Amino acid sequence: MDMLTMAGAAVRALTARKQAPSLYDVCDPVFLGRKHGDPHIAKFYKTALANPALRLLLRKAGLPELTDPVRFRAVRDALIAARDANDPDWAAIGRPIADLLDTVTLQHPRPRPIPAPTQMPRLADVDSAIRAASDHLLRSWERHGFIPTYAAFNLIGDPDFDSRAFLAALTGLNARSYKNSTLLFNLARVFIARSPVAGVINPPWRGIAEPMWEPVQIRHRSAYYDAFYIEALLSFIETGLGTPEDVRIARRIIADMTEFCIKTSRERVRTADGEAFDVITALAPPPHPRFSRFFTHIKRDLGFGVYVPDCDTTACSISAATQANSTDPILDQPLIDFYASYQVRAGANAPLVTVPLNDNVDYDGGIVTWIDNVAGERPFGNDLDPTLNLDVLEVSFRNCARWKIIETPSRLETVRRIVDFHRRLVASGGFADPKSHVYYLPELYCAYFGRCYVAFRALDETARRAIDPDGVFEFIRGQVLAYVQDELVAREMNVFDAALALIALGHLDAELMHFTPALHCILNHLGEGGRRGPFKAYEWNKMKTPTRILVGGPHVTSAFVLMGLALARRAMLRSQHRG
């Protein structure tokens, strides 16, 4: 991020002349000093939008169309209805704000093509970067007792979250507090995007994965993140670069994180048929998430009071525990039976997807995201993300024999329908479209397909033929490799982009020459993280509601760099042996 650009935008925002009604002209009379109506929406407004820092930036940002008293009144009446109605008509409330959202145009990053370097980096330099990334993770554990991840709000929102998606979210989300926050965040983003404040909130950056601005990062811990830290440390051990003491510490950390994933974060739920399963919750009960006191105090005010389990955290945690050779009985559950109850069948249970943010995707055969807890709560409604479905396949392949998938027709059908979901997505080219993804970047899809492909190739030939008689995995491999080689590494990257490229290239057995641009990118930026680690924090995954919330952190970057470099190192050694 260019700090001079941000500073210039801040100066323009602070010195601009006010020429039209601002966010605060619309909202202050509705939410400040009122004792009736829904108390959450007023509390959220005061905490998230009317705080002194944001008010200073946005107090002069106005919308000319709100000088029309009819439009001004329509927006204010919608907010009053959201505040006062016992059973709000969210579609009607959202319409005047949706009309304003239609005036906002945001774009995804478009990195410029760059010439490819021809010289492969030295293996010694790759080894040094692996040691730097692994040391960052090991030392952080010793310092904190866990490896943190961070969340950061980007109030300008997601480029694909348009007026249609906004109305779909308002009507499809379940918790009123979450609807409140989605409503107000999206009203605020219009004032932000159409003023100089946009340059402060959303300055341009290098590559595709968005950097995370340090002052607004919220530290936390989740089983989903620990699962990938387990994979990173396992890849470090496999390189043979660690000292005996490093390996001892890494194994102790892996054991602790495995327990956190499958014991501390375990939660019992029931399917619609009443069958009980142990799954993994998105956020364990306090104090395990390790939130700071500040965020613990305000998270309920922001509408994040209830967390429920999800299919992705469950899949990745069980996969990591399997790779760590856990013997916990939770691994013996035929989890694919549970996923079958959350699988979309066109025309039969399509309402499973209540928040269709990516309705350009054919959902048939896909697994939805959120799991009802025992109390029946699902505050986020439900959506469907393609990358999550790769994780479901990956854990199913790792436990194929244990869960008797090939021997059980219903289980085999569930897996084959997920495979066909991916076939259609990739054949349409939709996998490379950011709009197709709810929580991830297309580049993440490519890296995660690599993980899934390796697990698939590890099956015996009989199992592979039963699951994929038509060669879908080889078809997808070709499409993903073409995207990574012709698009991702052929353009300007940041470190996180490069790590994802290496993970895809390494798992999919790409030719060594395609690794070169990503390796140079990582090695040239080693040390960019300054005091916080070898590398900066970048977007790993995101939420699109209630606004764009990025999740990542410098430790996440180190973990993904470690996994990518370990695969590149293996390819380099293999090439040397052939030579």
Side-chain angles (χ1 to χ4, degrees):
M1 292 184 176
D2 186 341
M3 299 305 293
L4 288 177
T5 300
M6 294 175 66
V11 169
R12 288 192 297 276
L14 295 171
T15 59
R17 289 180 57 199
K18 183 181 176 186
Q19 297 179 317
S22 71
L23 174 69
Y24 304 108
D25 293 326
V26 177
C27 295
D28 279 359
V30 178
F31 299 121
L32 298 186
R34 301 287 175 171
K35 301 296 185 184
H36 58 277
D38 176 22
H40 172 265
I41 194 168
K43 186 178 290 187
F44 174 85
Y45 172 70
K46 287 186 282 189
T47 302
L49 301 182
N51 62 76
L54 194 59
R55 187 182 285 270
L56 183 64
L57 284 174
L58 280 178
R59 61 193 174 91
K60 295 181 180 180
L63 301 180
E65 50 264 66
L66 294 185
T67 57
D68 177 352
V70 175
R71 294 198 71 176
F72 183 93
R73 190 72 216 180
V75 174
R76 181 168 287 180
D77 286 348
L79 299 178
I80 292 171
R83 183 195 68 191
D84 291 347
N86 290 328
D87 184 18
D89 182 345
W90 289 102
I93 287 169
R95 256 177 230 116
I97 287 85
D99 290 341
L100 293 175
L101 273 179
D102 281 334
T103 68
V104 173
T105 302
L106 300 174
Q107 291 186 337
H108 292 283
R110 296 177 179 176
R112 60 183 178 87
I114 56 172
T118 57
Q119 187 73 28
M120 176 65 67
R122 297 185 313 151
L123 184 61
D125 293 333
V126 173
D127 289 352
S128 293
I130 288 174
R131 290 191 183 96
S134 60
D135 187 66
H136 184 213
L137 299 179
L138 298 179
R139 301 294 86 77
S140 176
W141 179 275
E142 292 182 331
R143 186 164 55 251
H144 299 293
F146 73 109
I147 304 177
T149 306
Y150 298 83
F153 289 78
N154 184 335
L155 299 183
I156 206 164
D158 191 273
D160 291 320
F161 198 81
D162 55 13
S163 59
R164 179 208 57 81
F166 167 67
L167 292 173
L170 273 189
T171 55
L173 295 167
N174 287 342
R176 182 164 181 169
S177 61
Y178 214 59
K179 292 173 184 276
N180 290 340
S181 53
T182 299
L183 176 74
L184 291 184
F185 267 141
N186 279 277
L187 175 60
R189 66 187 285 231
V190 182
F191 290 88
I192 292 168
R194 291 175 53 188
S195 75
V197 179
V200 182
I201 299 294
N202 198 55
W205 64 84
R206 175 192 180 97
I208 296 170
E210 183 175 341
M212 295 171 62
W213 194 23
E214 183 174 336
V216 290
Q217 291 179 16
I218 301 162
R219 185 197 71 206
H220 60 297
R221 183 185 189 184
S222 165
Y224 181 77
Y225 316 138
D226 273 21
F228 280 88
Y229 288 138
I230 289 170
E231 288 196 16
L233 292 177
L234 286 171
S235 69
F236 169 60
I237 292 171
E238 288 170 7
T239 65
L241 294 174
T243 66
E245 178 65 9
D246 287 339
V247 172
R248 185 189 66 79
I249 294 171
R251 291 197 185 282
R252 180 164 53 86
I253 294 171
I254 288 168
D256 184 277
M257 289 193 292
T258 301
E259 180 168 333
F260 181 82
C261 287
I262 61 175
K263 291 186 178 178
T264 305
S265 302
R266 183 182 306 195
E267 183 172 348
R268 174 145 288 203
V269 299
R270 293 188 179 275
T271 65
D273 296 332
E275 188 174 1
F277 279 89
D278 285 334
V279 297
I280 310 302
T281 191
L283 211 61
H288 300 295
R290 301 293 190 107
F291 286 128
S292 67
R293 287 185 180 181
F294 172 74
F295 190 65
T296 299
H297 178 70
I298 69 169
K299 76 181 180 73
R300 188 173 295 274
D301 294 350
L302 292 177
F304 301 109
V306 176
Y307 287 85
V308 292
D310 68 271
C311 291
D312 212 4
T313 300
T314 300
C316 292
S317 296
I318 298 299
S319 172
T322 303
Q323 294 176 68
N325 298 318
S326 172
T327 58
D328 192 285
I330 193 173
L331 272 63
D332 296 328
Q333 294 180 122
L335 199 60
I336 193 65
D337 290 349
F338 176 79
Y339 284 129
S341 69
Y342 281 87
Q343 187 171 44
V344 174
R345 290 185 178 271
N349 63 348
L352 270 177
V353 182
T354 65
V355 189
L357 301 182
N358 55 343
D359 58 1
N360 59 309
V361 171
D362 179 359
Y363 297 140
D364 184 53
I367 308 297
V368 296
T369 303
W370 300 102
I371 299 169
D372 295 12
N373 63 16
V374 171
E377 295 171 307
R378 193 197 303 149
F380 312 123
N382 228 325
D383 47 48
L384 193 152
D385 187 273
T387 306
L388 176 155
N389 279 265
L390 290 175
D391 293 333
V392 172
L393 285 180
E394 193 260 358
V395 72
S396 298
F397 297 155
R398 290 194 182 277
N399 292 279
C400 188
R402 191 197 310 256
W403 296 346
K404 294 182 169 44
I405 289 175
I406 306 304
E407 300 88 340
T408 311
S410 61
R411 294 171 187 169
L412 182 59
E413 182 199 12
T414 300
V415 170
R416 291 183 66 173
R417 292 186 67 235
I418 303 172
V419 172
D420 198 53
F421 164 81
H422 287 289
R423 178 192 61 78
R424 297 192 309 273
L425 175 76
V426 174
S428 71
F431 81 100
D433 182 358
K435 181 178 168 56
S436 301
H437 303 272
V438 179
Y439 299 106
Y440 303 95
L441 296 165
E443 293 68 29
L444 253 296
Y445 181 91
C446 295
Y448 283 26
F449 174 74
R451 295 171 62 247
C452 186
Y453 180 82
V454 167
F456 173 72
R457 294 298 303 170
L459 297 173
D460 62 51
E461 186 176 354
T462 301
R464 292 201 303 270
R465 284 182 177 176
I467 290 167
D468 183 21
D470 300 320
V472 171
F473 270 83
E474 290 307 316
F475 163 71
I476 296 177
R477 175 183 178 271
Q479 298 299 110
V480 167
L481 271 179
Y483 177 75
V484 173
Q485 293 169 177
D486 299 341
E487 290 292 326
L488 180 54
V489 301
R491 297 178 179 272
E492 191 174 55
M493 294 178 284
N494 58 44
V495 168
F496 204 79
D497 303 337
L500 298 179
L502 291 179
I503 292 170
L505 294 169
H507 282 317
L508 300 179
D509 294 324
E511 293 183 17
L512 188 60
M513 67 180 195
H514 296 297
F515 290 72
T516 306
L519 284 170
H520 277 288
C521 176
I522 291 172
L523 298 178
N524 289 342
H525 290 87
L526 180 62
E528 67 173 11
R531 63 181 178 83
R532 298 202 69 188
F535 304 102
K536 292 179 180 177
Y538 295 93
E539 166 193 358
W540 172 14
N541 55 70
K542 62 180 177 289
M543 301 281 286
K544 293 186 177 183
T545 58
T547 188
R548 183 170 166 83
I549 305 175
L550 307 179
V551 177
H555 304 85
V556 169
T557 307
S558 288
F560 275 80
V561 165
L562 176 53
M563 290 187 282
L565 290 181
L567 289 166
R569 182 179 190 273
R570 187 169 66 190
M572 293 169 73
L573 290 172
R574 191 163 55 232
S575 177
Q576 288 179 4
H577 292 155
R578 289 198 198 109

